[in-house]
Amino acid sequence: MMTQHSAGALRMARTIMAAAITALSLALTAPLAEAVDQAYLKISNNALGVTQPVALNVDKSMIVDLPTNVGEVIVSQPTVATAVMRTKTRAIVQGIAGGDTNIIFLDGAGNNIAVLDIKVSQPRSDVGNALEAAIARNIAGSHITVESVILDGSTNRVVLSGTALSDDDVQKALAIAAEFAGDPKNVASIVRVAGNQQVKLKVVVAEVERSTVKQLGINLDGSITVDPVTLSLANTPPNGGASGVTNTNGFEAKVDMPGFTLDAQLQALERRGALRTLAEPTLTALSGQQASFLAGGEFPVPTDVNNGAVSYSFKDFGVQLKFTPTVKSDGNISLALDTSVSELSAANGISAGGVTIPGTNSRQATTTVELPAGHTLAIAGMLQDTLRQEINQLPGLGNVPILGALFRSRDYIHDQTELVILVTPYLATTDGPDTADPAAAMQPTGDAEAIFLGHMEKMYGLSNDGMRGSYSGSVGFALD
């Protein structure tokens, strides 16, 4: 029967054996050349002729102990590193300038003892250490690493790498680094932005315009002849001064008697107009990059005349949108937005040299806002009410009550415009709904429908969704 003492001795023997096996395996797997510290390298007998990688900083040295006497030392790039033999088996390797080189140690017979593959790096300056600490302290959530070198003894060159939460954080890091480096040209960035950095902006431009034009005028032409005297009256007050509308509608009455002639013409006009503009442009852009949109066209504007040849430039009109999104680290989106709605207007045009240049009616909004993704903001809401009236009359007679209406004309215009611009930014994703194809539901007609019914598109026929090709809402003429 085993005693307690003998059992303890057995456990101790097993422990010593396991430790010996572990030490033996570590010895077998140990590197042939071991670095005691960063400034010392010892090459064993088993590493003869083996290439050893060595990393040094500029102006730093390393002691290398070799297993046999050295007869010759070859340095491929003496401007990068150099080797000085202190004894036949000990060398001092020193880094001189940034770059790569190798040092070959040969014995007296020309056999290879060892090859050092050396990479010399510029040390990171104190500016780099301070800059990395400043970025980590001021930009929360970023993991930006700074590598810096000093050129010409005074110029700091900085390279930023790592990750940041948004492009806005990257720009902040570049601004901080530019202050440390002295010039933005001395800063390079390979910082990767983590997360979604594409912004989709949906804009709704809704406008309703109503206009009313009224004109009323009487033209009188007459003459009275009492031999040998003839008296004539010519009263034709102009219409369209306020509205720019030329009126040719009216009634005419004429009296022709011996010695007396009177021609009276009544001009009357009433015009009502309505305009509705609805545009919903949608744009997608990377954070910090501008996107633009134009739904409209261009019209020529004369700019110069040279030897009878007219030069033209083209001006855009329609629904225009420009925006630059910036995704913040907290998820909000900053928008620099410029949107406008313009249309051609003959009333505001001019004629010069036989060329009519149309004017434009424009509504524009420019702003910079910040809001969470998916929230809608009204950046422009405008209600404009314009009233213009013009009266042309014959002096004196036009001021007579009631009868004075025979000697004057009235031009009246009333415009009302209401404009609303809504913007909604989203973080763009690739798993959104498919975009509807507007041409998918369009089916051209055959010859029979086109010839006998005059249809260009099939409008009749039932499907699972009911009748296709029909209109929704009120259709026809509307009288206010």
Side-chain angles (χ1 to χ4, degrees), residues 201-479:
L201 182 68
K202 181 179 179 181
V203 179
V204 177
V205 180
E207 180 184 16
V208 176
E209 180 181 353
R210 302 178 182 89
S211 63
T212 301
V213 177
K214 295 180 181 180
Q215 291 180 355
L216 180 63
I218 298 177
N219 301 333
L220 291 177
D221 292 322
S223 64
I224 299 176
T225 302
V226 179
D227 292 333
V229 178
T230 298
L231 299 176
S232 298
L233 172 65
N235 176 45
T236 309
N239 278 331
S243 63
V245 177
T246 301
N247 179 20
T248 59
N249 302 320
F251 301 93
E252 185 176 0
K254 186 174 183 180
V255 178
D256 193 356
M257 298 173 59
F260 176 73
T261 300
L262 180 63
D263 186 359
Q265 184 180 21
L266 174 66
Q267 291 185 334
L269 171 70
E270 182 176 358
R271 174 183 293 182
R272 285 176 290 177
L275 174 65
R276 176 195 176 205
T277 301
L278 178 62
E280 297 186 21
T282 300
L283 291 179
T284 302
L286 286 173
S287 177
Q289 302 296 319
Q290 187 186 73
S292 61
F293 170 89
L294 171 63
E298 297 179 332
F299 65 95
V301 178
T303 56
D304 189 19
V305 178
N306 187 9
N307 295 328
V310 182
S311 300
Y312 294 88
S313 64
F314 288 85
K315 183 178 180 181
D316 296 334
F317 72 93
V319 179
Q320 301 183 67
L321 171 65
K322 296 179 182 179
F323 86 104
T324 304
T326 303
V327 180
K328 303 291 186 178
S329 56
D330 58 0
N332 288 350
I333 301 174
S334 175
L335 292 175
L337 191 66
D338 183 0
T339 181
S340 65
V341 180
S342 59
E343 60 187 1
L344 298 180
S345 173
N348 297 330
I350 60 173
S351 296
V355 178
T356 300
I357 305 172
T360 56
N361 293 328
S362 300
R363 282 77 65 199
Q364 185 173 9
T366 302
T367 185
T368 300
V369 296
E370 182 176 333
L371 67 163
H375 287 226
T376 301
L377 179 67
I379 65 169
M382 181 183 69
L383 179 62
Q384 181 177 354
D385 195 320
T386 304
L387 178 65
R388 295 191 298 272
Q389 189 169 199
E390 183 176 304
I391 295 179
N392 298 304
Q393 66 180 17
L394 187 66
L397 295 178
N399 295 327
V400 177
I402 302 176
L403 294 179
L406 299 175
F407 302 95
R408 62 174 176 256
S409 67
R410 175 174 178 255
D411 189 20
Y412 169 90
I413 181 170
H414 188 193
D415 288 331
Q416 288 182 325
T417 302
E418 185 174 2
L419 174 67
V420 175
I421 301 176
L422 306 174
V423 294
T424 307
Y426 301 92
L427 290 176
T429 58
T430 58
D431 55 354
D434 294 335
T435 303
D437 183 1
M442 193 273 181
Q443 296 183 18
T445 60
D447 292 341
E449 291 178 277
I451 294 173
F452 295 108
L453 298 179
H455 292 169
M456 293 182 293
E457 180 187 1
K458 291 183 178 180
M459 299 180 61
Y460 303 101
L462 294 177
S463 63
N464 295 332
D465 297 331
M467 182 177 293
R468 65 161 302 280
S470 60
Y471 294 95
S472 60
S474 302
V475 180
F477 293 99
L479 300 177

Side-chain angles (χ1 to χ4, degrees), residues 35-287:
V36 177
D37 52 40
Q38 294 182 352
Y40 179 75
L41 176 64
K42 181 178 180 180
I43 299 176
S44 64
N45 289 321
N46 296 331
L48 283 173
V50 177
T51 300
Q52 306 289 342
V54 174
L56 278 178
N57 287 332
V58 174
D59 297 332
K60 295 294 183 178
S61 299
M62 172 180 286
I63 298 175
V64 180
D65 281 338
L66 301 163
T68 185
N69 293 338
V70 175
E72 185 179 1
V73 180
I74 301 173
V75 181
S76 61
Q77 292 291 338
T79 59
V80 175
T82 186
V84 178
M85 298 302 302
R86 301 295 297 174
T87 65
K88 292 185 178 182
T89 58
R90 170 166 287 190
I92 306 297
V93 177
Q94 182 179 9
I96 298 176
D100 296 328
T101 186
N102 54 17
I103 300 177
I104 303 173
F105 296 94
L106 303 177
D107 60 13
N111 298 318
N112 184 15
I113 299 176
V115 177
L116 301 184
D117 191 1
I118 300 177
K119 182 178 181 62
V120 181
S121 304
Q122 292 281 357
R124 192 167 73 170
S125 64
D126 294 338
V127 172
N129 296 328
L131 176 57
E132 187 170 304
I135 292 176
R137 184 171 58 252
N138 291 281
I139 305 178
S142 65
H143 301 280
I144 298 178
T145 302
V146 178
E147 296 185 17
S148 64
V149 295
I150 299 178
L151 301 179
D152 302 330
S154 60
T155 304
N156 288 289
R157 296 295 177 90
V158 175
V159 178
L160 304 182
S161 60
T163 60
L165 296 180
S166 66
D167 184 71
D168 181 59
D169 287 348
V170 176
Q171 298 303 320
K172 291 178 181 177
L174 288 173
I176 296 174
E179 294 296 327
F180 278 78
D183 193 329
K185 296 180 180 179
N186 296 332
V187 181
S189 173
I190 54 174
V191 178
R192 182 176 60 86
V193 178
N196 192 356
Q197 294 298 303
Q198 287 194 134
V199 177
K200 180 176 69 174
L201 182 68
K202 181 179 179 181
V203 179
V204 177
V205 180
E207 180 184 16
V208 176
E209 180 181 353
R210 302 178 182 89
S211 63
T212 301
V213 177
K214 295 180 181 180
Q215 291 180 355
L216 180 63
I218 298 177
N219 301 333
L220 291 177
D221 292 322
S223 64
I224 299 176
T225 302
V226 179
D227 292 333
V229 178
T230 298
L231 299 176
S232 298
L233 172 65
N235 176 45
T236 309
N239 278 331
S243 63
V245 177
T246 301
N247 179 20
T248 59
N249 302 320
F251 301 93
E252 185 176 0
K254 186 174 183 180
V255 178
D256 193 356
M257 298 173 59
F260 176 73
T261 300
L262 180 63
D263 186 359
Q265 184 180 21
L266 174 66
Q267 291 185 334
L269 171 70
E270 182 176 358
R271 174 183 293 182
R272 285 176 290 177
L275 174 65
R276 176 195 176 205
T277 301
L278 178 62
E280 297 186 21
T282 300
L283 291 179
T284 302
L286 286 173
S287 177

